[in-house]
Amino acid sequence: MIITRIAPTPSGYLHQGNAFNFLLNWLLARSQGGKVLLRIDDLDAPRAKPEFINDVFETLEWLGIDWDMGPTGPDDLAAAWSQSHRLPIYNQLLNKLRTKSHLFACECSRKDLADSSGLYTRTCLHKNIALDTPDVAWRVKLEADAIIHFTDGWQGAMQFALGQEMGSFVLRRRDDIPAYQIASLADDNHFGVNAMARGMDLLPSTAAQLYLAHLLDINSFTQTQFYHHPLIMDDTGQKLSKSAGSVSLNHLRSEGVPASLLLANFCKWSGIEADGAVKSAGDLLSIPLSSLKF
Ligand SMILES: [Zn+2]
């Protein structure tokens, strides 16, 4: 059975690009008799503010999206579904990587990294800093020429030069919190996720997580069907996530904008000729998946 996930990070109000992605994941599952997991990525606790967590539930209800696994509301998230409950699972994977000598400690400061123009140049790889040193990040040993190949459900054959594009990325932060790449991979494996729609901005993460899944022999992830979709731009050609706050779904709802308008946009962005017939998320189920064009 196909299992997809909706995985927002509650560090800001959701925008139309998020809704587009949620609907795609929901549609992938529901149109094939599959299940949907709601996973709220709240590992970065100080940024996971209550208003942003509420916004996730309000948005899903507004869109008419339901889910089979995951929190029913903010209280249930805190009690049972927060990523903080799964820290032992993330640390288990980190320890496995450590045992297999795939990690090194990095003592570079934020300023050092800013000076190195983005890509980490493995400055600390040969310093042999002990991993248990306080205030160091853990990075993965990654060959500079590492290239990841996979077949995408919408984009076809993909290759990503992970070594050149991302370098030795962080797996545990200086504050000992597991990084997004390991937590996301561990969660997808834990909940049996086997298909996901992702924005093209997450292509580097897909490649990074595939690399880790190979190191850790996590076959459920290496066999996951990925569907990467274009990012939704605003009228000025900017990514929505970078636009001003006025495009947030929270703002649209407060202005009384109906979800059917968003669903009409969804059809437009997906290349579907719906002629205004889509009034609720359920109406999307009559559209064959093969008619989505990206
Ligand atoms: Zn370093």
Side-chain angles (χ1 to χ4, degrees), residues 214-246:
H214 281 293
L215 293 182
L216 290 159
D217 298 319
I218 300 178
N219 294 328
S220 63
F221 194 83
T222 55
Q223 289 163 21
T224 290
Q225 179 63 63
F226 296 98
Y227 298 88
H228 285 81
H229 58 81
L231 298 180
I232 303 307
M233 304 294 173
D234 68 11
D235 295 339
T236 63
Q238 277 207 79
K239 266 169 66 176
L240 279 182
S241 53
K242 306 287 182 209
S243 311
S246 63

Side-chain angles (χ1 to χ4, degrees), residues 46-94:
R47 295 176 69 207
K49 298 205 161 67
E51 60 265 38
F52 301 145
I53 291 171
N54 286 334
D55 182 52
V56 171
F57 293 102
E58 285 168 13
T59 294
L60 293 172
E61 189 185 348
W62 183 66
L63 291 170
I65 287 177
D66 61 348
W67 59 97
D68 310 283
M69 290 184 285
T72 54
D75 292 343
D76 193 30
L77 171 68
W81 293 92
S82 168
Q83 286 188 307
S84 60
H85 296 299
R86 298 190 296 278
L87 277 171
I89 301 176
Y90 312 149
N91 284 322
Q92 197 178 14
L93 290 190
L94 285 172

Side-chain angles (χ1 to χ4, degrees), residues 246-279:
S246 63
V247 295
S248 74
L249 298 175
N250 180 59
H251 178 79
L252 295 182
R253 285 196 298 274
S254 73
E255 297 276 294
V257 173
S260 58
L261 192 89
L262 203 281
L263 291 162
N265 282 344
F266 174 88
C267 293
K268 188 177 74 184
W269 296 327
S270 306
I272 298 166
E273 306 250 355
D275 294 329
V278 176
K279 300 291 182 205

Side-chain angles (χ1 to χ4, degrees), residues 3 5 39 93 148-151 169 180-198 202-228:
I3 302 177
R5 41 64 153 198
R39 184 189 94 196
L93 290 190
I148 304 297
H149 298 266
F150 68 98
T151 303
F169 52 93
Y180 167 76
Q181 305 299 359
I182 203 80
S184 183
L185 169 64
D187 278 347
D188 286 332
N189 182 44
H190 180 70
F191 291 111
V193 171
N194 55 19
M196 69 182 80
R198 285 184 140 173
L202 283 176
L203 185 58
S205 289
T206 298
Q209 290 160 20
L210 280 170
Y211 182 77
L212 295 174
H214 281 293
L215 293 182
L216 290 159
D217 298 319
I218 300 178
N219 294 328
S220 63
F221 194 83
T222 55
Q223 289 163 21
T224 290
Q225 179 63 63
F226 296 98
Y227 298 88
H228 285 81

Side-chain angles (χ1 to χ4, degrees), residues 106-108 120 123-124 139:
C106 166
E107 61 181 3
C108 296
Y120 184 67
T123 320
C124 297
R139 292 178 180 272

Side-chain angles (χ1 to χ4, degrees), residues 137-172:
W138 290 1
R139 292 178 180 272
V140 66
K141 292 176 186 169
L142 175 69
E143 298 302 322
D145 59 358
I147 293 178
I148 304 297
H149 298 266
F150 68 98
T151 303
D152 188 272
W154 287 325
Q155 308 296 330
M158 300 289 276
Q159 66 168 35
F160 188 83
L162 187 63
Q164 284 176 27
E165 299 282 339
M166 251 185 132
S168 284
F169 52 93
V170 171
L171 290 183
R172 200 183 79 167

